[in-house]
Amino acid sequence: MTALDTRTHTDDTTALRFPEGFRWGTATAAYQIEGAATEDGRTPSIWDTFSRTPGKVRNGDTGDIAADHYHRLDEDIALMRQLGVTDYRFSIAWPRVQPTGRGPAVRKGLDFYRRLVDSLLEAGIRPVATLYHWDLPQELEDAGGWPHRETSYRFAEYAGIMADALGDRVATWTTLNEPWCAAFLGYGNGVHAPGRTSDLAALRAAHHLNLAHGLAARALRGALPGSAEVSLTLNLHAVRARSQAPEDLDAARRIDAVGNRIFLDPVFHGRLPEDLVRDTAAVTDWSFVQDGDLAAAAAPLDSLGINYYSPAVVAAGSSESPSPWAGAEKHVRFEPAPGPRTAMDWPVDADGLHELLVRLRDELPGVPLVITENGAAYDDYADPSGRVKDPERVAYLHAHLAAVHRALADGADVRGYFLWSLLDNFEWAYGYSKRFGIVHVDFATQRRTLKDSARWYADVIARGGLARS
């Protein structure tokens, strides 16, 4: 990596140039795109069970077929090659390679990911593997799931299996994607799989996910070559108080504790936030944290992945129940943020991404940062000519890349940007009603069509930055 050059460039069509070696990627997740839910030994994950439960997912949609990536792998890699991405972030379906979450791997499951990785390398694209993007084997959930300590050790075993299988070809490994969502949406307010609603279960899950990360990082280090990178991806919350009133500032502190520092402090400092422990005293005494757990969670990392979509504005008040904000629901109310909104009804505010990156620059000096997800859902459709025009998405992406560039100029060590998502896909509890992709997918025919945003992103990659408007 070279330092960001903020001088005037000879190519005056490029307004904001990114450093040499900056990684330009796209990202997906296994359950959202693969399909083939019962093929080649794959067993149900918690998302298979959840999505097949009436009333849990919009329109009764499931990931049984999704974008059929399992059978269209070559076509999708050809699209990535056409875009010119340098990196591709994908996740491995745990129940595809280790169906029960225990014991030996299934050869056909491993073979799919071997073929994916080999095809990426042949296309000149760097594979970035995520071990866990929320598809816990159902058998492990039946045994207690993430609130159960044993799941952390099963995850470390799985990490070792994947490192042995792909460690000679995958240079970057992410242990967990957004453990906050897995813990608090899955076990707190139940809007994600497995659909439980318990503050205690959510807090236990968060701790055991931290432990799982640390144990898996050590398992990866033991099997990977020394040049491999080990990372973690967090969806850190850009939290803003509605006002400078003490009660509103305290509301922001509470959300920062249970939304951000519950992961940052154990992983980078080997400790629990003291204010989080106080805030949640009515829920738990944290006795499930055993000696050595926090030291294990603080395994050294080569980078931190950041997923960012929008900021949050909070004030003193109370949240609806059930709430994912354990220990804060009686003290915090979320306020509508100003400005335009995406089809998810999320506010568009690129300044929040800059705020997060500058915060991490100050709080985690020496830790390289990667934007592992950033993007927006809009109501895209193919017009009569077959073109998919999505100017709102282009504007969103331009603003957020400009915010990354500004953070680089302010000294944040940002190494790459992964656009979410390559393909329209199964958007969790929203089913197929929300489209995040830069490639339009007709789910009836599985036809892929590059949206205008895909062509725009290809131009950004080719020029190494943002064109002058």
Side-chain angles (χ1 to χ4, degrees):
M1 296 287 292
T2 58
L4 180 68
D5 186 355
T6 56
R7 300 171 299 174
T8 301
H9 298 278
T10 56
D11 177 6
D12 62 5
T13 66
T14 302
L16 301 178
R17 190 177 301 278
F18 283 72
E20 188 73 24
F22 192 81
R23 292 158 58 182
W24 298 100
T26 56
T28 63
Y31 189 71
Q32 293 182 273
I33 67 166
E34 282 183 2
T38 60
E39 292 186 35
D40 296 334
R42 184 188 181 279
T43 57
S45 73
I46 55 175
W47 267 99
D48 292 280
T49 302
F50 187 80
S51 66
R52 294 168 190 166
T53 303
K56 296 297 186 182
V57 175
R58 187 171 296 184
N59 300 320
D61 293 339
T62 74
D64 288 358
I65 299 173
D68 199 30
H69 175 71
Y70 194 78
H71 300 113
R72 298 171 185 269
L73 181 155
D74 294 335
E75 179 182 1
D76 293 339
I77 292 177
L79 288 170
M80 288 183 249
R81 190 170 188 174
Q82 185 177 349
L83 294 173
V85 299
T86 63
D87 292 60
Y88 173 54
R89 177 177 178 252
F90 63 95
S91 78
I92 296 161
W94 189 350
R96 193 177 294 287
V97 298
Q98 197 187 28
T100 67
R102 298 179 176 84
V106 171
R107 181 184 60 79
K108 287 186 176 180
L110 290 179
D111 284 348
F112 170 73
Y113 294 107
R114 289 188 178 108
R115 188 163 72 87
L116 170 62
V117 168
D118 289 346
S119 298
L120 288 168
L121 292 172
E122 289 171 8
I125 299 169
R126 189 172 180 272
V128 178
T130 298
L131 288 170
Y132 187 72
H133 200 129
W134 309 348
D135 43 6
L136 184 72
Q138 182 61 45
E139 189 163 320
L140 290 185
E141 172 61 23
D142 293 342
W146 285 112
H148 184 52
R149 182 180 184 84
E150 182 65 17
T151 306
S152 304
Y153 294 93
R154 300 284 64 77
F155 182 70
E157 178 186 64
Y158 156 62
I161 288 172
M162 295 313 306
D164 288 340
L166 297 176
D168 59 334
R169 285 161 283 181
V170 175
T172 298
W173 293 82
T174 300
T175 54
L176 305 171
N177 177 80
E178 298 187 357
W180 185 88
C181 292
F184 292 96
L185 300 185
Y187 295 93
N189 70 349
V191 300
H192 277 195
R196 292 204 236 167
T197 54
S198 163
D199 281 355
L200 177 58
L203 294 170
R204 290 177 63 97
H207 172 66
H208 292 136
L209 283 156
N210 282 334
L211 177 60
H213 156 72
L215 296 174
R218 284 172 169 78
L220 291 170
R221 298 283 189 202
L224 296 175
S227 59
E229 299 176 6
V230 177
S231 186
L232 167 71
T233 283
L234 301 176
N235 59 313
L236 297 175
H237 300 78
V239 185
R240 299 168 181 164
R242 179 185 60 179
S243 75
Q244 293 301 300
E247 58 270 24
D248 288 347
L249 293 173
D250 187 65
R253 177 201 63 74
R254 286 175 179 272
I255 296 302
D256 186 59
V258 76
N260 296 331
R261 288 181 285 114
I262 192 172
F263 299 106
L264 289 172
D265 280 18
V267 168
F268 290 99
H269 306 297
R271 67 188 183 217
L272 283 171
E274 293 181 1
D275 58 332
L276 173 69
V277 174
R278 292 194 301 271
D279 291 346
T280 57
V283 179
T284 180
D285 61 3
W286 293 84
S287 58
F288 50 81
V289 179
Q290 298 186 12
D291 289 346
D293 283 4
L294 295 172
L301 288 178
D302 297 299
S303 64
L304 175 64
I306 305 299
N307 291 357
Y308 173 84
Y309 293 94
S310 61
V313 178
V314 299
S318 61
S319 301
E320 294 183 5
S321 184
S323 164
W325 304 100
E329 56 264 76
K330 296 180 180 178
H331 304 273
V332 179
R333 181 179 72 253
F334 284 81
E335 299 273 309
R341 308 182 87 79
T342 70
M344 298 288 288
D345 198 32
W346 295 347
V348 178
D349 188 334
D351 287 342
L353 178 55
H354 177 265
E355 292 168 15
L356 275 179
L357 294 174
V358 170
R359 170 185 175 172
L360 295 169
R361 174 203 66 188
D362 296 339
E363 293 185 4
L364 301 176
V367 179
L369 307 173
V370 178
I371 309 304
T372 40
E373 286 183 27
N374 176 240
Y378 290 102
D379 295 325
D380 307 319
Y381 61 92
D383 68 16
S385 71
R387 181 177 173 183
V388 183
K389 301 175 184 177
D390 56 343
E392 293 174 310
R393 180 175 291 105
V394 170
Y396 178 101
L397 296 172
H398 189 286
H400 285 77
L401 277 170
V404 174
H405 187 276
R406 185 154 48 99
L408 280 161
D410 289 340
D413 185 8
V414 186
R415 304 291 181 91
Y417 176 91
F418 289 75
L419 190 157
W420 185 271
S421 175
L422 175 67
L423 303 171
D424 289 337
N425 55 40
F426 175 86
E427 185 48 41
W428 307 115
Y430 291 92
Y432 297 102
S433 68
K434 305 298 180 185
R435 294 181 176 270
F436 275 88
I438 55 171
V439 176
H440 182 274
V441 178
D442 181 331
F443 293 107
T445 65
Q446 294 296 339
R447 180 178 178 179
R448 274 83 160 130
T449 303
L450 294 177
K451 302 178 186 180
D452 283 0
S453 58
R455 303 181 193 282
W456 175 87
Y457 191 47
D459 180 71
V460 169
I461 295 169
R463 68 171 62 242
L466 299 174
R468 294 188 185 278
S469 56

